[in-house]
Amino acid sequence: MSSLWTDRPAGSDHDWLAPPPPPPLRRFTPPAPPPPPRRRRGRAALVAAAAALVLGGAVVAGTQLDGDSPASEAAGVLPAAGGRPGETRINQIYARASRGVVSVQVTEGSGQSSGTGFVIDADGTIVTNAHVVGSASNVRVRFDDNGRPVTAEVVGRDVSTDLAILRVNPRSAGTLHPLPLADSDDVKVGDAAVAIGYPLGLDKTATAGIVSGLGRQIEAPNGFSIDKVIQTDAPINPGNSGGPLIDARGRVIGVNSQIATAGGGNGSVGIGFAVPSNTVRDVVPKLKSGQAIRRPFLGVSTSPSPDGRGAVVRTVTPGGPASQAGLRPSASPLGTDGDVIVAIDGTAISDPDDVAAAVNGHEVGDEIRVTVRRGRDEVTLTVRLAQRPERAP
């Protein structure tokens, strides 16, 4: 799996995306067809006459409707069928949401990077990924492909969820088009999903697919896990980072953040991941108010138990809450020489995702009861949760 943290091409241009010049054109004159055999000419004329009688109405009607003539074809212009194709749902979603999507350009030292963001309120608040803005304090955004860049302040970032918010002066940005945030708990596998952004240095681009998975976990830039992530097959690529994943009603269901790759490449293979909109709804108000985001920390790393019962404790952070409570790491696949977490506060634990969900449902300073399988016995330990450090141990 690879993140979209490769949104940083060397230099400030995108010449590396330019296709090679086309080869020079060569004039090709097809050979003249041989004349028809004389003995078949009469029969061919009869067949042509019969066809004219049967199809004559259609030929005349076609000539009247299209208004084309042999003279126009002889001049080198082929006829075009009139009218546009019917409006699709994707057309409607793009028309409704695209005006709220912005290009984000970041300069740090001599390096430049790019990504995507989207407006969420009339105050000029823009959501993007923390890994897009990096440590910059100001970035530049464009609301249209040909629009002038506008300076945006980086108001706050939460690396643990890979989210950051920017703020532009509404007067300098012109008319803003905020995108509504959906309740991501209502999202179902198979729902329509449209990604809008600026992939690979291109202008605003829309790709479409479906929600192909729910409840995924991805790694945040600081090494911790981001939970309840939405998986989609809508193609996203480097540069889409921070852009919206949108449902059929034009609402944001997630923030495109990472892709899975294969074969050592950085291109999309049809599996992308978006931080859920409910995480945005929780984090953004705190970042806007300048509030420090405190997350609980247990201080263990775990792996699935081969028997499907619990999460094997693999490492225990020295001096952390789990260490102080007496949890023991295990080196064996089954956890027979250490602890296997089987319940937290009486709720059964099936895998490491359950451990993360149970811990994240508490506040810093809360006490939780961790039940572990230790050999043939079950032991319950009381752990007081600490504040998560800036980076995973």
Side-chain angles (χ1 to χ4, degrees):
M1 181 183 300
S2 170
S3 74
L4 293 191
W5 306 341
T6 54
D7 301 347
R8 302 172 182 266
S12 60
D13 55 63
H14 296 283
D15 290 342
W16 57 282
L17 292 175
L25 297 177
R26 296 183 179 180
R27 186 176 300 278
F28 175 73
T29 304
R38 292 179 178 275
R39 60 188 177 86
R40 296 180 179 270
R41 187 171 298 170
R43 182 177 178 184
L46 289 175
V47 172
L53 288 175
V54 175
L55 301 176
V59 171
V60 171
T63 301
Q64 291 174 344
L65 290 174
D66 294 339
D68 297 310
S69 66
S72 66
E73 294 184 13
V77 179
L78 295 176
R84 264 186 42 77
E87 194 81 1
T88 69
R89 177 177 293 184
I90 307 303
N91 292 139
Q92 297 166 0
I93 296 171
Y94 182 80
R96 186 182 308 162
S98 62
R99 293 181 298 173
V101 181
V102 305
S103 167
V104 180
Q105 302 291 328
V106 183
T107 300
E108 291 186 86
S110 59
Q112 291 191 343
S113 62
S114 64
T116 304
F118 58 96
V119 182
I120 62 167
D121 61 32
D123 296 334
T125 304
I126 296 171
V127 172
T128 187
N129 279 143
H131 79 257
V132 168
V133 300
S135 59
S137 56
N138 290 283
V139 301
R140 295 174 75 78
V141 301
R142 283 188 298 116
F143 291 83
D144 293 301
D145 294 341
N146 299 317
R148 63 181 180 84
V150 176
T151 299
E153 175 192 4
V154 180
V155 176
R157 54 177 64 78
D158 178 35
V159 183
S160 287
T161 56
D162 198 14
L163 293 175
I165 59 169
L166 319 174
R167 179 179 292 133
V168 296
N169 185 336
R171 294 181 180 178
S172 64
T175 303
L176 297 174
H177 300 277
L179 301 185
L181 299 173
D183 182 347
S184 53
D185 287 345
D186 291 338
V187 175
K188 305 295 182 186
V189 172
D191 286 352
V194 177
I196 303 178
Y198 292 81
L200 303 174
L202 299 172
D203 285 341
K204 193 174 294 182
T205 301
T207 55
I210 62 168
V211 172
S212 53
L214 295 170
R216 303 297 193 240
Q217 274 195 351
I218 58 175
E219 185 177 303
N222 62 359
F224 288 103
S225 295
I226 304 175
D227 302 322
K228 298 184 178 180
V229 170
I230 297 171
Q231 178 183 316
T232 181
D233 69 350
I236 57 178
N237 286 284
N240 276 114
S241 291
L245 187 66
I246 300 171
D247 67 9
R249 296 174 61 182
R251 304 171 305 179
V252 177
I253 58 175
V255 181
N256 298 317
S257 299
Q258 294 184 20
I259 57 175
T261 59
N266 291 322
S268 172
V269 294
I271 299 178
F273 302 100
V275 177
S277 56
N278 281 359
T279 301
V280 179
R281 295 171 58 210
D282 175 62
V283 169
V284 166
K286 297 172 183 175
L287 293 179
K288 285 185 66 175
S289 65
Q291 178 181 342
I293 298 178
R294 291 159 47 89
R295 287 191 170 79
F297 179 61
L298 177 59
V300 298
S301 67
T302 61
S303 66
S305 175
D307 62 5
R309 297 175 54 241
V312 179
V313 177
R314 291 302 178 192
T315 63
V316 177
T317 303
S323 174
Q324 294 178 12
L327 269 75
R328 303 172 184 176
S330 178
S332 72
L334 294 175
T336 53
D337 58 343
D339 291 339
V340 180
I341 300 176
V342 295
I344 294 181
D345 287 335
T347 301
I349 297 296
S350 300
D351 53 40
D353 290 353
D354 291 344
V355 176
V359 172
N360 290 335
H362 288 81
E363 300 292 335
V364 175
D366 286 353
E367 287 189 346
I368 61 174
R369 293 177 294 109
V370 180
T371 302
V372 300
R373 186 170 68 241
R374 182 175 291 173
R376 297 182 178 181
D377 301 324
E378 283 195 357
V379 180
T380 299
L381 306 170
T382 300
V383 184
R384 182 181 295 277
L385 298 174
Q387 181 174 339
R388 178 185 291 183
E390 291 186 4
R391 296 198 64 83

